[in-house]
Amino acid sequence: MSEREVYHTTFDWPKEPDVQNRLLAPLGISEEETAKRLIEYHRNINRILPSYPKILKVISSDQPCVDVFYQALTYVQSQHRSNAPFTPKILLCGPTGSGKSLQAALLAQKYGIINVSCGHLLKEEVAKNTTVGESIRPFFEKDMDVPDQIVIRILVKRLSEQDCICYGWVLHGFPRDGDQATLLENVGFTPNRVFFLNVPYDSIIERLTLRRTDPVTGERYHLMYKPPPTMNIQERLMQHPEDSEEKVKLKMDLFYRNSSGLEEYYDNIIYVNGDQDPYTVFEFIESGIIMPLPVKNPS
């Protein structure tokens, strides 16, 4: 038996006589003292409970302690719709390779909001062979942009689902210019936080053009930051066609031509230095989500 073990004369009495003989009643548990504490509790609790109407969970403790514990644990681990006026609707903007996907995943993981990647949504429709997916497929095959009206149709469907409504969302991959931002707002979806991830041109080239994949294991490497462990692996590594320097430069040039329209469209943009450790970037984005938006002075 460990020292200072707690027992109960009715529910948990020790079997060993020597343990029974050395037990002591703790101070402050007499009937009179307990009654005083109960009176004080009931006098104050009715003024405390109304302060937590949206998150209060009443659990009867007149049952086995294990049952009480699991009811409390189930409630704590469940996600509840927030009744606060602020539901996260976050837009991440930035050139290819700026880290939007990673930051969206980190936000989704920590805050339980829904990670909405426009590119992934389009690919899912094609993979499912839906009617919309079949209309997207020719654009994929020709390496052309999918028309905005098709994209917005898919986005509206996803952002209107119950999980996005309850928990909020973080969107990346759309909009990419002012016209697309207008289109998104016209269908009823306006972000309440907009982040621009700024990464120097040379850093993007370094991040993307040095990526490689092992066709045998599927393992991904980076020739500078995560080089392959052996020469045999290095010799068989392959580069994704989209990571060629020519393709990367085309995507970056397109982004920078269109980004000015986005910057003009959205007020209160939060600019982020994306050329640093991903978790440092995440902390900066997180601070921008938590802090209140500045209040505009009435004109």
Side-chain angles (χ1 to χ4, degrees), residues 206-218:
E206 181 182 274
R207 285 186 184 187
L208 299 186
T209 62
L210 298 182
R211 296 193 300 192
R212 298 292 187 272
T213 303
D214 185 344
V216 176
T217 64

Side-chain angles (χ1 to χ4, degrees), residues 32-88:
E32 181 180 354
E33 291 169 306
T34 302
K36 287 182 179 178
R37 289 204 301 272
L38 283 171
I39 291 172
E40 183 180 4
Y41 167 82
H42 287 291
R43 182 185 297 124
N44 295 318
I45 192 63
N46 290 331
R47 286 181 284 178
I48 296 174
L49 296 183
S51 300
Y52 307 98
K54 305 300 182 181
I55 59 173
L56 178 66
K57 174 67 174 178
V58 178
I59 299 175
S60 171
S61 59
D62 190 19
Q63 53 184 324
C65 60
V66 173
D67 294 340
V68 175
F69 170 78
Y70 279 109
Q71 288 182 47
L73 181 64
T74 300
Y75 182 75
V76 170
Q77 290 181 331
S78 62
Q79 288 184 310
H80 306 282
R81 179 171 181 174
S82 172
N83 289 287
F86 171 59
T87 298

Side-chain angles (χ1 to χ4, degrees), residues 38-170:
L38 283 171
I39 291 172
E40 183 180 4
Y41 167 82
H42 287 291
R43 182 185 297 124
N44 295 318
I45 192 63
N46 290 331
R47 286 181 284 178
I48 296 174
L49 296 183
S51 300
Y52 307 98
K54 305 300 182 181
I55 59 173
L56 178 66
K57 174 67 174 178
V58 178
I59 299 175
S60 171
S61 59
D62 190 19
Q63 53 184 324
C65 60
V66 173
D67 294 340
V68 175
F69 170 78
Y70 279 109
Q71 288 182 47
L73 181 64
T74 300
Y75 182 75
V76 170
Q77 290 181 331
S78 62
Q79 288 184 310
H80 306 282
R81 179 171 181 174
S82 172
N83 289 287
F86 171 59
T87 298
K89 299 175 184 176
I90 302 166
L91 175 63
L92 298 181
C93 302
T96 180
S98 58
K100 300 185 297 296
S101 296
L102 174 58
Q103 296 304 321
L106 293 173
L107 288 168
Q109 181 182 31
K110 180 165 184 177
Y111 291 102
I113 59 182
I114 308 305
N115 184 352
V116 181
S117 166
C118 183
H120 288 171
L121 289 179
L122 297 177
K123 291 175 183 177
E124 286 175 3
E125 291 294 327
V126 174
K128 293 176 184 176
N129 294 317
T130 62
T131 302
V132 177
E134 289 304 312
S135 65
I136 295 172
R137 192 184 303 277
F139 296 97
F140 275 13
E141 292 174 347
K142 297 176 182 178
D143 197 22
M144 297 172 59
D145 288 338
V146 179
D148 290 349
Q149 291 301 327
I150 297 178
V151 176
I152 203 68
R153 178 180 170 187
I154 295 172
L155 274 179
V156 166
K157 178 182 176 183
R158 183 67 187 94
L159 296 177
S160 299
E161 292 180 8
Q162 194 63 29
D163 56 353
C164 285
I165 294 172
C166 286
Y167 310 128
W169 42 262
V170 51

Side-chain angles (χ1 to χ4, degrees), residues 136-272:
I136 295 172
R137 192 184 303 277
F139 296 97
F140 275 13
E141 292 174 347
K142 297 176 182 178
D143 197 22
M144 297 172 59
D145 288 338
V146 179
D148 290 349
Q149 291 301 327
I150 297 178
V151 176
I152 203 68
R153 178 180 170 187
I154 295 172
L155 274 179
V156 166
K157 178 182 176 183
R158 183 67 187 94
L159 296 177
S160 299
E161 292 180 8
Q162 194 63 29
D163 56 353
C164 285
I165 294 172
C166 286
Y167 310 128
W169 42 262
V170 51
L171 173 64
H172 50 110
F174 190 97
R176 293 171 295 180
D177 57 39
D179 291 339
Q180 291 181 348
T182 302
L183 186 59
L184 186 65
E185 183 170 0
N186 288 343
V187 295
F189 296 99
T190 303
N192 47 31
R193 294 291 189 278
V194 180
F195 296 92
F196 267 66
L197 276 63
N198 291 324
V199 180
Y201 195 93
D202 290 342
S203 294
I204 294 288
I205 295 295
E206 181 182 274
R207 285 186 184 187
L208 299 186
T209 62
L210 298 182
R211 296 193 300 192
R212 298 292 187 272
T213 303
D214 185 344
V216 176
T217 64
E219 184 75 18
R220 296 181 178 181
Y221 296 97
H222 191 280
L223 298 183
M224 179 174 293
Y225 303 122
K226 187 187 174 183
T230 67
M231 287 300 298
N232 288 337
I233 295 177
Q234 182 167 336
E235 289 173 357
R236 69 178 184 237
L237 294 183
M238 300 182 66
Q239 183 184 47
H240 193 287
E242 293 298 316
D243 287 343
S244 69
E245 187 168 343
E246 181 183 5
K247 287 288 187 68
V248 172
K249 287 182 176 179
L250 285 173
K251 290 180 181 179
M252 292 177 64
D253 290 343
L254 180 62
F255 170 80
Y256 287 118
R257 283 202 304 269
N258 296 327
S259 62
S260 58
L262 279 176
E263 294 180 85
E264 291 174 2
Y265 189 86
Y266 289 115
D267 296 326
N268 300 318
I269 290 174
I270 301 172
Y271 292 93
V272 183

